[in-house]
Amino acid sequence: MYPPELVKPMREDLTKVGFEELHTAEAVDAALAKEGTTLVVVNSVCGCAAANARPGARMSLQNAKKPDQIVTVFAGVDREAVEAARGYMVPFPPSSPSMALFKDGELVHMLERHHIEGRPAELIAENLKDAFNEYC
């Protein structure tokens, strides 16, 4: 587990633009039980989360269509919440960072680490915007 003071700025990268942090399996279940669309970002301390994933997630919100709710869990910190979120992402293997779009609790779009690592944030944002335009 990472120290809270280390991950605080990484959490704030998303919470400052409206992402709700989920810390428990119950919170994940409740979020994904809601009708509508939900973007789940599995946050991470890795460099590709800092350079690509979090900026891409933030930029994706500059779109006419957006998910009804945006939430995040933090790998290596919110173990219970991350495990619960990943359970909804099956058949995709666990990876962090990752991003999943759900509609009425059903997984409709997934970005795994290999879709994020080495790709510019703008490309990640465009990928998410395309999914928002289709499902939101």
Side-chain angles (χ1 to χ4, degrees):
M1 297 307 246
Y2 296 105
E5 61 276 3
L6 173 73
V7 299
K8 185 177 187 276
M10 298 172 207
R11 288 181 182 278
E12 290 173 348
D13 248 1
L14 295 177
T15 59
K16 71 182 178 189
V17 296
F19 279 83
E20 176 188 357
E21 290 185 299
L22 306 178
H23 302 286
T24 66
E26 293 80 16
V28 171
D29 293 341
L32 292 176
K34 292 180 182 175
E35 286 187 26
T37 51
T38 303
L39 176 65
V40 178
V41 174
V42 179
N43 202 348
S44 173
V45 298
C46 71
C48 65
N52 312 91
R54 292 191 298 268
R58 289 192 317 266
M59 284 190 270
S60 74
L61 301 177
Q62 304 305 311
N63 194 50
K65 292 185 176 185
K66 296 178 232 186
D68 297 310
Q69 62 178 343
I70 51 175
V71 300
T72 182
V73 295
F74 208 112
V77 179
D78 303 319
R79 179 169 288 149
E80 180 186 328
V82 171
E83 286 178 15
R86 286 178 173 162
Y88 287 95
M89 296 173 190
V90 170
F92 296 95
S95 68
S96 56
S98 61
M99 301 176 197
L101 183 64
F102 295 86
K103 184 168 186 168
D104 298 328
E106 180 184 334
L107 180 63
V108 294
H109 188 76
M110 183 76 187
L111 283 173
E112 298 174 85
R113 180 185 175 102
H114 69 88
H115 297 119
I116 296 168
E117 191 172 28
R119 295 202 169 59
E122 295 81 6
L123 185 61
I124 294 163
E126 287 304 314
N127 181 295
L128 290 172
K129 287 177 184 182
D130 288 345
F132 299 167
N133 290 337
E134 182 173 348
Y135 297 107
C136 296

